[in-house]
Structure formats: C-alpha cells, structure tokens
Amino acid sequence: MKTDDPVNDTVLFAADGPTAVITLNRPKALNALTHPMVLRISEALTAWAGDPAVTRVLIRGAGERGLCAGGDIRAIHDDAKAAGSASADFWRDEYRLNALIARYPKPYVALMDGIVMGGGVGVSAHGSVRIVTERSRVAMPETGIGFVPDVGGTHLLGRAPGQLGTHLALTGAAVGAADALLCDLADHFVPAGRLAELTAELLAGAPLRETLARHTGRPAPGELAERRGWIDRCYRADTVEEIVERLFGEGDPAAKEAAETILAKSPTSLKVTLAAVRRARELGPLERVLVQEYRVSCNALRSPDLVEGIRAQVIDKDRAPRWSPATLPEVTGDDVARFFAPLGEGRELDL
C-alpha cells in the first residue's frame, strides 16, 4: 500500500489494489487546488499509468462539501497585483494535468459530489467515468471574478448541446445532476448515500461496469431541458449585447433572470468568454483549446477586472466590483483580441 505520511497533507494517494485513489484533502478550503497538489497528482497518474497492478484511478474530495471549488484564487489575486509569474506557472502545469486526465489510458473515476467548480471541473469532467449526486453543483463561474473559463472548460461547454454551454459560460450558473448529465459534464448519477459502498466495492476489485450498474439511478429533473427553447434562441446571437436583449425580450422570468445575472459580470470577461467558447468549437482537440485558454488566462493577468473581481467576491466580499470598462458597449473588438494574442517564444503552453 502506498500512502502519504504527513497527517495534514493536502492531497493523499493510496494504491493497495487495482483501484488507486486520489483524495483532495483541503476540506476547509473546499479542496481548492494549489500548484504542489497539481504537480503531485500528475506525478502519481504518470506512475500509475505504467503500473500493471493499477487498473483504474478514483478521485474524490475530503469532507462533505464538495470535490473541489477550483484553484486558489487568493493566490492568483496576489500574483496579479504583484505582476508575478506564479499563476502562469500554475496554469501551465494544471492544464497539462487536464490533458493527461482526458487521455488517461485507464478508467478515471471522478466522484463529483457537492461543489465542483473551476479547477474542480478540470480534474473531473475530463475523466472517462464522471459521477454526480443529488448534492452536485457543477459550474464554471469565472466571469463573476473578471476571468474566463479555463481548465478545458471552454472545450466542454462548447461541446454541450445547442447553446447550453454558452448559457453556463456567460452566467456562471451552477447545475445539478440532471443538467450536468444533459450538458455532458457527467456520465452517471449515484445517490450520495451510496458513494461509500460504491467506493468500497471498487477498492475491493469489483468490476467497474457492473458495480456502476448496481448503484446508478435517475436524478431529479433539472431546469435546462425545459428552458432549452429560449436558451438556444437567445444565445445564438452574435454578441453579448444581443444575447442580453433577446433574453429580456423573451418574456420569461428565467430568461430575464439570466440577463440580469449576465449584466452583473465583467463586461470584458463576458465578451472574451463568448469568443473563447465559439473558437473552442472550431479548434477541435482539447489540447488545442488548452493552448488557447493558456493565452487567455495569462493575458487576463494584466486585466484590471481579474484583481477587482477577486477583491469584490473573495477578499473584501462587498460583492460590488467596479469593472473597467464598466459596460458592454465600451469593450471593443481590439480589447477582446488582446486576450487571444500569442504570448511570445518560450511562453506558450507546450503539450
């Protein structure tokens, strides 16, 4: 059996049978990812890929609140204010991990129980076996902090049916189990009360497919299926301004709420996000999208909205960000294009 010795280690590994286990172990921080955690997960996955004794990998989060709430955005805030390079270094390794998970040669089972956001989506939704529960809340909420969906999020959302992914990308809305399944962010629903039994059976060597079949069920109805009509009509518009106008014009309370939610986000992030999701649809493989996301993320470090958004939501928690520019019409095409500009020789993401 291989385990980590430090009692309070931030990520734990175990492999005493055919199922190797990764446990994100920062429950007080909703298991938010740090750079050392990403590096150690990558190292373990690489080793297990070549270990014939390991036939599958399972990832889970410690505590009862969720798998992972994302990256450590306080650290990103501080790095951006200091014009440092730590965030770019972190994203480089994180996106490489996302690509590794997506191409992993063995079943990769992600228990997406509770909160799964941002970087948490990156370490789960690219896996081959993605399990949600009635407690799951899956989201890419980056536009609310002046950022843009990353960790392959624009790839995942760009591939969602119709315009559902665009809706989730712009609003940052969290979805439950049924909607995660509809959007192809997950594969199976297992009641939270059965996760322990499912995990125990997998650790004991039970066959994966048959074990899943015994524990999967039908989730409670979601919200997106019945809203698909107005979502597809509104979000196929060419600009964020037109999307908002169409939403207000629907006469549906849920559409109006979506429009109001969008208008509270960073105008720059909204326009860059719409462009990023649509470009991702044309780019094809995940690796090409991650290269684009790395450019966008690194260029976002120089945007005032990233620091301001994290300040308002996480540091001061006044929930009153002062975006710059403050309105959608003020964000120009050149402003958006700068986020997709090449980073220069030796600075691009190499996959």
Side-chain angles (χ1 to χ4, degrees), residues 38-238:
V38 164
L39 292 173
R40 297 184 63 221
I41 293 168
S42 296
E43 181 183 10
L45 287 175
T46 300
W48 288 332
D51 185 348
V54 173
T55 62
R56 59 205 177 203
V57 174
L58 182 145
I59 186 168
R60 61 188 178 183
E64 298 295 321
R65 298 169 65 196
L67 171 65
C68 175
D72 187 344
I73 59 176
R74 283 180 176 267
I76 293 172
H77 169 274
D78 295 345
D79 185 52
K81 283 191 70 173
S85 62
S87 297
D89 294 340
F90 168 61
W91 289 327
R92 183 183 299 276
D93 290 318
E94 185 182 25
Y95 300 176
R96 285 173 173 167
L97 173 60
N98 302 145
L100 173 62
I101 291 169
R103 302 290 181 257
Y104 205 62
K106 300 176 181 182
Y108 182 95
V109 182
L111 303 186
M112 300 170 69
D113 184 35
I115 292 174
V116 185
M117 297 184 178
V121 173
V123 296
S124 60
H126 297 299
S128 54
V129 182
R130 305 165 300 174
I131 297 170
V132 285
T133 76
E134 71 277 8
R135 303 188 300 198
S136 295
R137 302 300 294 166
V138 184
M140 296 298 296
E142 285 76 10
T143 55
I145 59 166
F147 197 45
V148 178
D150 66 335
V151 297
T154 61
H155 175 77
L156 293 165
L157 296 175
R159 290 157 59 97
Q163 298 295 324
L164 293 176
T166 306
H167 169 67
L168 297 182
L170 295 183
T171 62
V175 297
D179 289 334
L181 293 167
L182 174 63
C183 294
D184 196 26
L185 298 172
D187 307 301
H188 306 280
F189 170 78
V190 174
R194 304 191 69 170
L195 286 182
E197 185 179 353
L198 169 70
T199 301
E201 291 180 12
L202 292 178
L203 291 177
L208 178 58
R209 182 176 300 180
E210 291 84 345
T211 304
L212 281 171
R214 285 196 300 274
H215 293 284
T216 53
R218 184 184 298 274
E223 299 176 343
L224 294 182
E226 65 178 24
R227 299 176 180 178
R228 178 78 185 274
W230 62 257
I231 286 174
D232 285 352
R233 283 193 299 273
C234 295
Y235 287 92
R236 69 166 61 103
D238 292 334

Side-chain angles (χ1 to χ4, degrees), residues 73-74 145 309-319:
I73 59 176
R74 283 180 176 267
I145 59 166
I310 298 174
R311 179 207 65 77
Q313 297 298 330
V314 179
I315 307 298
D316 297 337
K317 299 182 180 179
D318 58 27
R319 307 292 192 269

Side-chain angles (χ1 to χ4, degrees), residues 285-346:
L286 171 64
E287 287 82 358
R288 295 183 64 187
V289 178
L290 287 168
V291 169
Q292 171 177 277
E293 289 183 351
Y294 187 72
R295 287 180 178 177
V296 171
S297 296
C298 289
N299 287 321
L301 284 172
R302 298 193 292 271
S303 167
D305 279 5
L306 179 58
V307 169
E308 174 61 11
I310 298 174
R311 179 207 65 77
Q313 297 298 330
V314 179
I315 307 298
D316 297 337
K317 299 182 180 179
D318 58 27
R319 307 292 192 269
R322 297 178 290 275
W323 305 122
S324 179
T327 66
L328 287 166
E330 293 177 89
V331 182
T332 69
D334 287 342
D335 292 334
V336 173
R338 277 194 287 271
F339 282 78
F340 297 91
L343 301 175
E345 185 175 355

